[in-house]
Amino acid sequence: MSWARIMVPLAGTPNDQGVLTSAATLAAAFNAELACVHAPADMADLMPWMGEGFMGGVQVTALESLKEAAQEGAKTVGKMAAGLGYGRTRVISLDSPVWAGLAMEGRLSDVIVFDDAAARGKGPLAESFQQLVADEQRPILVARPGFRTDGVALIAWDGGKEASRAVRTALPLLEKASAVVVAGAPAASSRAFELDRLVEFLAARGVKAGVRALEGSGDAGSLLLGAAKDVNANLLVAGAFGHPRLQEFIFGGTTRTLLNSDGPSLFLSH
């Protein structure tokens, strides 16, 4: 199994350069198509406050400004994509309704790459990140500085369906890792699970992994981040939003701990 299409949503600003480079690194590892999807601000979002059948000077000016910004953003994305020097690059600029187009592009991609800012709820693509990982349930790579495909991968395992889906989806990337470690904190979870069972699952699929049982019954996210640091992990594979989203939002949860950390890149699947 491999990946054929890597998607990276872009706002059309110079800040996109880092995540675009990481996405190209991922795509090149699989000789996959790199879909650079420009997702500008959506003019449809202005309609609710414009009023029915009325277009005043302020509204017209706002629409024109959005159109100009979208055009400039598309040019910026095109230039940055061309500058990558990666032959299998495709640039797509979305029109209104932007979210519908972004969702469809995500459904036709194997993995979607975001940067750390969007994962932390900052910047123009923060809402898109939340929708794609939680509502669309697409596999997401949160690419942080220094991302590489041949580093150490730590798998967060709690026996849950989200963690299972993340591992199964991440298999092509795990196959390229220099080392894989299965980590879990049984005392910090309400589930009963065995780390060795996942090791057996991976071995049957050609991925050799070690085990790291984490002691403690506190925040599982902090325990996992500590383990990732100990093994010098470049990537942390985890299930996302194992509890209802509202509960995660109010009480935090392991997902939020990982997203707000300065730890390794994250591969998430809900």
Side-chain angles (χ1 to χ4, degrees):
M1 183 177 68
S2 187
W3 292 333
R5 190 176 197 254
I6 306 300
M7 168 182 160
V8 54
L10 301 167
T13 71
N15 292 334
D16 291 330
Q17 187 63 63
V19 70
L20 187 57
T21 300
S22 295
T25 297
L26 181 63
F30 296 94
N31 192 31
E33 177 186 83
L34 175 60
C36 306
V37 181
H38 174 224
D42 198 336
M43 288 182 286
D45 294 339
L46 289 178
M47 298 306 174
W49 62 267
M50 284 186 175
E52 295 184 7
F54 177 74
M55 288 288 285
V58 174
Q59 290 90 337
V60 171
T61 300
L63 286 176
E64 290 300 321
S65 296
L66 281 180
K67 288 180 181 178
E68 292 176 4
Q71 292 170 355
E72 288 301 315
K75 292 179 182 178
T76 299
V77 169
K79 290 179 181 178
M80 288 192 296
L84 291 173
Y86 181 61
R88 301 202 62 201
T89 299
R90 180 182 180 187
V91 177
I92 301 166
S93 191
L94 300 176
D95 297 318
S96 184
V98 171
W99 166 243
L102 192 62
M104 183 56 68
E105 294 298 333
R107 294 166 192 167
L108 296 173
S109 302
D110 293 300
V111 179
I112 303 172
V113 184
F114 280 95
D115 64 7
D116 194 44
R120 292 174 184 262
K122 301 177 182 179
L125 295 174
E127 185 175 357
S128 296
F129 169 81
Q130 295 171 9
Q131 290 174 320
L132 285 169
V133 70
D135 296 335
E136 286 292 310
Q137 300 183 5
R138 302 305 301 142
I140 302 289
L141 172 69
V142 178
R144 288 170 169 158
F147 168 73
R148 47 189 286 202
T149 60
D150 59 351
V152 177
L154 183 82
I155 299 174
W157 182 245
D158 65 357
K161 62 181 181 180
E162 292 82 12
S164 172
R165 186 177 295 113
V167 171
R168 287 183 279 112
T169 308
L171 274 173
L173 194 54
L174 295 175
E175 291 171 352
K176 295 185 179 298
S178 60
V180 176
V181 179
V182 175
S189 175
S190 59
R191 297 189 180 98
F193 60 92
E194 298 177 20
L195 300 177
D196 288 335
R197 292 295 304 278
L198 182 59
V199 173
E200 294 173 2
F201 173 91
L202 293 169
R205 289 152 182 82
V207 176
K208 183 179 179 181
V211 170
R212 194 175 185 89
L214 308 180
E215 301 294 334
S217 58
D219 176 25
S222 297
L223 295 174
L224 289 166
L225 289 171
K229 184 176 181 180
D230 290 343
V231 301
N232 197 28
N234 172 262
L235 180 72
L236 200 162
V237 177
F241 299 107
H243 301 288
R245 289 188 65 199
L246 179 60
Q247 181 179 332
E248 286 266 357
F249 179 77
I250 295 173
F251 298 107
T254 300
T255 304
R256 194 160 301 281
T257 298
L258 299 179
L259 293 177
N260 291 329
S261 75
D262 293 321
S265 296
L266 304 172
F267 185 92
L268 304 173
S269 183
H270 176 49

